[in-house]
Amino acid sequence: MRRKGKGTELRNQTYKSDARKLAYKMFVKDCKSRARKLNTEAVRFDPITPAAITACLPWLEAALFPWESVSNWKCKDAKGLDLAIWYEQKLCGLCYATPRKSAICIKIILLQGHPDRSHPLRGLIAPMALLATDTYARMLGCKEIEIQDPGPNVVPYYQNLGFSFDQNNRLVIYLDD
């Protein structure tokens, strides 16, 4: 179990920042290997800021996710990973994941892509968020990622990404060592 106390908050902030940076690098490498015609220099993996919350307000008609609550969650949950995925000045996706009080499992609490079907990262938001969450989970020593309360319409999509239901009916993916 990791030590709590002096330096823990700074360590967690460093892990989150490093996870976003490493996930971006892996995303760029994957795009190059798949010969995707995408300007990867226009993609950013950032924390969720007030600008991201403002940019997602028009999405509220598409899904009623409480993105405006993330700033409060971040204050209360030092290990929570917040991710805003941008393409140039367009917010394309948001994700919030947390291990809460677990050293084994990190849960993706909220994940949403821009509802505009023509945004440049369409179909990539969940894999990109999973990349960042996986990287961060490994830094924390977690062994699994769980999708919290997935809607029935998205379960097949997550299963295509490698998630499956465990014996407790949780939609999880296990991390290899």
Side-chain angles (χ1 to χ4, degrees):
M1 186 99 191
R2 297 203 189 279
R3 183 175 72 91
K4 293 182 181 178
K6 192 173 184 177
T8 303
E9 190 172 326
L10 178 59
R11 183 197 70 221
N12 291 336
Q13 289 297 330
T14 301
Y15 282 175
K16 288 184 259 191
S17 178
D18 289 350
R20 290 184 202 104
K21 289 175 189 172
L22 288 169
Y24 171 75
K25 287 180 181 178
M26 288 185 276
F27 171 73
V28 169
K29 186 177 178 181
D30 183 60
C31 283
K32 288 180 181 175
S33 71
R34 295 177 188 237
R36 290 188 195 260
K37 293 181 180 178
L38 182 68
N39 178 7
T40 56
E41 292 178 9
V43 176
R44 294 191 326 269
F45 284 61
D46 289 343
I48 297 175
T49 62
I53 299 301
T54 300
C56 83
L57 289 177
W59 301 4
L60 295 180
E61 293 176 13
L64 299 175
F65 291 146
W67 292 112
E68 66 282 352
S69 299
V70 169
S71 62
N72 291 333
W73 297 351
K74 288 168 52 169
C75 291
K76 295 176 186 175
D77 182 10
K79 288 187 177 180
L81 174 67
D82 55 313
L83 177 64
I85 301 171
W86 296 84
Y87 188 87
E88 294 175 342
Q89 301 305 312
K90 185 174 188 109
L91 179 66
C92 295
L94 292 169
C95 178
Y96 187 80
T98 180
R100 290 204 176 120
K101 295 178 182 177
S102 175
I104 298 169
C105 179
I106 189 167
K107 291 183 180 183
I108 295 178
I109 307 296
L110 298 174
L111 175 58
Q112 183 179 9
H114 194 299
D116 175 4
R117 295 193 177 276
S118 66
H119 76 77
L121 299 176
R122 181 84 179 156
L124 298 175
I125 297 303
M128 293 167 80
L130 183 57
L131 196 57
T133 304
D134 180 292
T135 303
Y136 182 59
R138 290 172 192 276
M139 290 175 177
L140 293 176
C142 294
K143 302 294 181 200
E144 59 191 35
I145 300 171
E146 177 183 347
I147 303 297
Q148 179 174 290
D149 302 324
N153 295 342
V154 296
V155 168
Y157 184 71
Y158 285 119
Q159 289 173 322
N160 284 337
L161 292 174
F163 286 85
S164 59
F165 285 101
D166 69 0
Q167 66 275 13
N168 296 318
N169 207 31
R170 300 177 314 134
L171 190 57
V172 296
I173 192 168
Y174 297 96
L175 305 178
D176 298 332
D177 290 329

